[in-house]
């Protein structure tokens, strides 16, 4: 199952704060797709996954939505 | 907790620089950002780097770890939101913590004017953008003002001049900057004053400039009998168009050509050989080499707070620099270019974007500008050792 967390427009620490809460509700085979507009989220998600042994950062993507705003997409899963 | 839970960049500057204190700083950015750029004081600072996500994962453990390292903290992050969150957690756990408002972004945008010289109605001010190590200047004489190397934060200069009732009559840049966006053209446009920068051969300048030749002497003031001269000295090397401005025959606004501990790197344009040769000629054969030792260098950057003197000014007698800077003591062009080649290091990628924007006529968005300007300048040549032989 893939669940989407829309953290667009939110400043840090909110994207990671909400992602942690969401991950806690997911099973080990689920994927959490986090949408964020804060560019700082790119490095922060990497740092978070490095230090939290229950979080795995599967991949990161960058897209552009209508209107030109850049969206940073983070795919996370929960490690047992 | 007593008092405010916040500290402004200006208040932090007063503590770190004016009073030379060394408060404990808790930087909650990720480790890479902390390694790349951090707050510096006059004295070495106790800094702890605990990323904010450690406080999301394990608030108790992280707060205890911080409390163990000290009982009063200033929390710092990129923009001031995560550090406010962390400071709140620390206070909940009984540890004194205040938040740096606006984070590193606001720290890098703080400008502090410091007076360098005053005689009658002539004044020379150094505007210290401390977090980035960028310096700009305001020369005041007889109610008229010239601003040199203005940043894009125009309100800093406009407020300063308004408070002194001075009219901006000219805006100058020492060169096309690579590390920060120039506010020169826009500051001049808003005041209806002429703007000058020389890009040099090989560059197309999209901005409206009033060209001035090498050796031109600009006159400032006149009212009330106060008038001073600002002389232009072409100084190609750091960039092909680099220009130094000699104020009243005594203060040299040296741009990125001379710093108080060395010289500007000639490799930012990717032509270390040609620009290095030009720089050697500028330093050893051109008009700069003939200036008296008593001239005081006022550069466009500093690399370390150790370069600030007791008054908080970044300045140095030219004679003292000549006596000590290894780069000025390399005897031949070949040895000099060799040393410059050896010191080449990749500049931050964003410098190409900043150069392009400083050459062009358009403007960049505030969001882009803020992001591009993060971090400390990297404009000095780093020649590690004294020359051989």
């Amino acid at each position: 199952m893939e669940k989407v967390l829309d953290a667009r427009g939110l400043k840090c620490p909110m994207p990671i704060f909400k992602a942690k809460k969401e991950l806690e509700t997911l099973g080990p085979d689920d994927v959490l797709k986090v949408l964020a507009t804060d560019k700082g989220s790119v490095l922060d998600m990497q740092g978070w996954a490095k230090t939290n042994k229950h979080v795995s950062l599967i991949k990161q993507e960058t897209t552009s939505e209508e209107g030109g705003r850049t969206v940073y997409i983070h795919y996370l899963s929960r490690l047992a | 907790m007593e008092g405010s839970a916040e500290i402004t960049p200006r208040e932090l500057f007063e503590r770190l620089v004016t009073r030379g204190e060394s408060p404990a700083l808790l930087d909650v950015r990720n480790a890479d950002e902390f390694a790349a750029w951090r707050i510096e004081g006059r004295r070495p600072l106790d800094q702890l780097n605990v990323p904010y996500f450690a406080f999301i994962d394990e608030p108790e453990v992280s707060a205890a770890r911080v409390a163990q390292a000290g009982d009063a903290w200033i929390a710092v992050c990129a923009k001031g939101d995560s550090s406010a969150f962390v400071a709140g957690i620390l206070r909940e756990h009984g540890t004194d913590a205040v938040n740096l408002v606006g984070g590193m972004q606001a720290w890098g945008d703080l400008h502090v004017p410091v007076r360098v010289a005053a005689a009658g109605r002539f004044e020379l001010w150094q505007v210290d953008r401390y977090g980035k190590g960028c310096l700009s200047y305001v020369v005041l004489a007889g109610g008229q003002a010239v601003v040199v190397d203005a940043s894009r934060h125009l309100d800093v200069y406009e407020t300063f001049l308004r408070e002194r009732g001075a009219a901006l009559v000219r805006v100058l840049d020492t060169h096309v900057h690579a590390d920060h966006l120039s506010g020169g053209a826009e500051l001049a446009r808003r005041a209806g004053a002429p703007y000058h920068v020389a890009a040099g051969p090989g560059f197309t300048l999209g901005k409206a400039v009033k060209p001035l030749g090498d050796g031109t002497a600009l006159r400032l003031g006149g009212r009330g009998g106060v008038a001073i001269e600002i002389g232009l000295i072409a100084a190609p090397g750091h960039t092909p168009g680099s220009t130094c401005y000699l104020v009243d025959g005594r203060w040299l606004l040296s741009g990125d050509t001379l710093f108080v501990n060395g010289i500007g790197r000639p490799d930012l344009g990717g032509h270390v050989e040609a620009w290095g040769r030009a720089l050697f000629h500028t330093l050893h054969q051109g008009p700069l080499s003939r200036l008296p030792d008593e001239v005081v260098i006022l550069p466009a950057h500093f690399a370390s707070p150790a370069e600030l003197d007791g008054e908080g000014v970044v300045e140095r007698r030219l004679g003292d620099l000549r006596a000590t800077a290894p780069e000025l003591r390399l005897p031949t062009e070949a040895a000099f270019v060799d040393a410059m080649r050896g010191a080449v290091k990749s500049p931050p990628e964003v410098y190409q974007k900043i150069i392009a924007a400083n050459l062009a006529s358009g403007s960049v968005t505030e969001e882009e500008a803020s992001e591009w300007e993060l971090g400390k300048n990297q404009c000095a040549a780093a020649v590690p050792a004294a020359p051989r032989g």
Side-chain angles (χ1 to χ4, degrees):
Chain A
M1 183 190 90
E2 181 178 278
K3 182 154 190 194
V4 176
L5 168 63
D6 186 359
R8 287 175 296 177
L10 298 180
K11 295 187 280 191
C12 63
M14 292 321 287
I16 288 182
F17 190 84
K18 286 179 175 274
K20 179 179 161 62
K21 293 240 179 304
E22 285 294 341
L23 273 180
E24 282 165 2
T25 68
L26 299 185
D29 297 325
D30 299 335
V31 171
L32 181 65
K33 179 180 177 183
V34 183
L35 310 178
T37 46
D38 181 356
K39 194 179 181 187
S41 66
V42 177
L43 278 177
D44 288 352
M45 287 284 181
Q46 294 170 13
W48 183 40
K50 246 184 256 173
T51 56
N52 186 322
K53 57 182 186 297
H54 301 294
V55 173
S56 164
L57 179 62
I58 301 159
K59 63 173 176 175
Q60 292 179 304
E61 291 172 352
T62 302
T63 59
S64 192
E65 57 179 20
E66 268 181 62
R69 187 163 70 160
T70 304
V71 179
Y72 306 95
I73 307 173
H74 317 277
Y75 297 88
L76 299 165
S77 70
R78 182 178 160 194
L79 301 176
Chain B
M1 204 201 103
E2 280 179 32
S4 166
E6 292 184 340
I7 185 168
T8 64
R10 179 62 195 240
E11 289 163 352
L12 182 58
F13 175 88
E14 303 282 342
R15 289 192 63 182
L16 293 176
V17 183
T18 313
R19 303 209 290 272
E21 295 175 13
S22 44
L25 300 184
L26 172 65
D27 197 314
V28 303
R29 293 173 299 159
N30 63 62
D32 291 341
E33 287 174 302
F34 178 67
W37 182 40
R38 67 183 75 171
I39 290 174
E40 294 172 281
R42 284 216 189 229
R43 295 201 284 160
L45 297 177
D46 271 337
Q47 298 215 42
L48 190 60
N49 177 220
V50 183
Y52 70 87
F53 37 80
F55 291 86
I56 292 174
D57 286 335
E58 299 180 305
E60 309 288 332
V61 174
S62 300
R65 186 183 154 199
V66 173
Q68 201 166 33
D71 50 19
W73 295 91
I74 296 171
V76 178
C77 72
K79 293 178 182 168
D81 298 307
S82 294
S83 50
F85 165 78
V86 169
I89 291 177
L90 290 175
R91 288 195 302 273
E92 280 166 23
H93 287 78
T95 301
D96 184 356
V98 297
N99 177 42
L100 175 65
V101 180
M104 290 304 284
Q105 188 172 308
W107 180 245
D109 284 345
L110 174 70
H111 293 63
V112 181
V114 186
R115 197 165 70 182
V116 178
R121 292 186 66 214
F122 161 66
E123 289 179 34
L124 176 54
W125 289 75
Q126 182 173 66
V127 181
D128 184 355
R129 188 176 184 182
Y130 180 81
K132 279 188 69 63
C134 293
L135 303 166
S136 54
Y137 294 89
V138 182
V139 188
L140 298 167
Q144 296 190 335
V146 170
V147 173
V148 180
D149 285 335
S151 79
R152 69 190 174 84
H153 295 277
L154 306 185
D155 57 310
V156 169
Y157 308 96
E158 290 175 341
T159 304
F160 183 89
L161 295 177
R162 195 166 49 242
E163 285 170 358
R164 282 157 187 81
L168 182 60
V169 297
R170 194 178 287 276
V171 179
L172 304 168
D173 273 345
T174 53
H175 62 292
V176 177
H177 297 282
D179 65 295
H180 66 275
L181 292 159
S182 168
E186 182 60 11
L187 183 65
R189 191 192 65 75
R190 279 160 55 158
Y195 167 64
H196 173 73
V197 65
F203 290 95
T204 309
L205 194 61
K207 293 189 192 304
V209 298
K210 184 176 167 56
L212 299 167
D214 183 21
T216 304
L218 301 167
R219 223 173 140 72
L220 180 65
R223 218 170 60 204
V226 182
I228 58 150
E229 248 183 33
I230 300 177
L232 272 70
I233 302 173
H238 175 66
T239 71
S242 286
T243 306
C244 297
Y245 300 105
L246 185 62
V247 178
D248 208 27
R250 169 138 190 237
W251 287 277
L252 184 71
L253 308 188
S254 57
D256 287 12
T257 300
L258 295 174
F259 297 131
V260 300
N261 278 333
I263 61 171
R265 53 193 287 194
D267 61 303
L268 283 177
H271 313 286
V272 67
E273 305 279 335
W275 293 16
R277 279 197 298 276
L279 186 55
F280 182 81
H281 285 261
T282 287
L283 299 175
H284 292 269
Q285 284 142 16
L288 277 191
S289 68
R290 296 190 290 275
L291 290 177
D293 280 348
E294 287 68 40
V295 163
V296 175
I297 299 159
L298 295 165
H301 291 298
F302 62 95
S304 151
E307 295 173 42
L308 273 65
D309 68 14
E311 312 295 311
V313 179
V314 179
E315 63 179 337
R316 194 157 188 215
R317 251 181 102 252
L318 181 53
D320 294 342
L321 183 68
R322 283 174 174 153
T324 56
E327 301 88 355
L328 294 180
R329 301 171 68 78
L330 293 163
T332 64
E333 183 189 282
F336 182 84
V337 173
D338 252 9
M340 292 299 115
R341 204 190 292 115
V344 165
K345 57 182 195 295
S346 313
E349 279 174 28
V350 74
Y351 278 18
Q352 284 309 321
K353 290 184 187 171
I354 295 177
I355 292 169
N358 280 337
L359 285 165
S361 59
S363 58
V364 300
T365 66
E366 174 60 33
E367 195 186 353
E368 262 183 331
S370 277
E371 189 193 317
W372 292 0
E373 289 194 336
L374 288 179
K376 208 164 161 179
N377 83 85
Q378 297 184 27
C379 298
V383 175
R388 286 185 300 268

